[in-house]
Amino acid sequence: MMQLPAGATGFFEAGTFREPIQRGEFLQLVYQLARESRCTVEETDTSLCGKNFYAAQIVRNSGTEILFMNAYTGHLACSDCWEAQPLRFTAPSAMLAVLLPPNHVAGATHRCGAAGLLAPAEQEQLRYWQPNTIGEILFNFWD
């Protein structure tokens, strides 16, 4: 079972705020993946307004893939669409899967049950939003 660290949701107890991963680190990863897989980066979203993750649209000959990064843990996940709420997760394409760090690709479709390490403020958010999967915890639009 995947254990999520405190702060994974982007909610913190008073006095325990953690700085997010710098946008530049995410963009560097995305453009490196695009170069190595001979793809292009069509669009990026590095705003954390109303969400706890960064996103990038990677376009290849056979289609489009969205790469998400949790801004507080570095976990990665893929989708074929970034407008759906909750997000719809997919396995990374074979081309991208070879290049992604395997320990950082989230089991986004795995059922919840790994919230034991989350802080009380996060536990409260889980009770309110009632996510069904790890991905809904790691990549959320909670306010």
Side-chain angles (χ1 to χ4, degrees):
M1 178 174 3
M2 181 180 195
Q3 291 290 322
L4 299 179
T9 66
F11 284 84
F12 300 92
E13 299 296 315
T16 62
F17 178 75
R18 181 187 330 168
E19 287 292 326
I21 295 167
Q22 295 297 308
R23 295 170 216 206
E25 289 181 50
F26 172 68
L27 293 173
Q28 182 178 6
L29 171 69
V30 167
Y31 283 99
Q32 177 184 342
L33 289 171
R35 265 191 317 277
E36 291 178 15
S37 61
R38 294 187 175 96
C39 297
T40 59
V41 178
E42 188 74 21
E43 188 175 350
T44 62
D45 179 359
T46 57
S47 167
L48 294 177
C49 184
K51 60 185 180 48
N52 70 338
F53 60 91
Y54 303 129
Q57 183 178 28
I58 299 172
V59 179
R60 57 190 190 288
N61 290 343
S62 58
T64 298
E65 192 163 12
I66 311 301
L67 181 67
F68 300 112
M69 176 190 269
N70 178 292
Y72 299 97
T73 68
H75 283 91
L76 300 170
C78 294
S79 179
D80 56 0
C81 173
W82 66 10
E83 283 106 20
Q85 287 189 32
L87 296 171
R88 184 176 60 227
F89 299 103
T90 59
S93 65
M95 183 184 302
L96 201 55
V98 186
L99 301 172
L100 289 173
N103 59 331
H104 288 288
V105 177
T109 58
H110 294 163
R111 303 295 295 166
C112 287
L117 300 177
L118 297 178
E122 294 174 294
Q123 297 285 349
E124 183 178 325
Q125 292 299 314
L126 292 180
R127 284 189 294 278
Y128 181 80
W129 293 102
Q130 299 180 359
N132 293 310
T133 65
I134 297 296
E136 290 175 24
I137 296 172
L138 283 172
F139 307 96
N140 68 66
F141 295 94
W142 304 344
D143 49 13

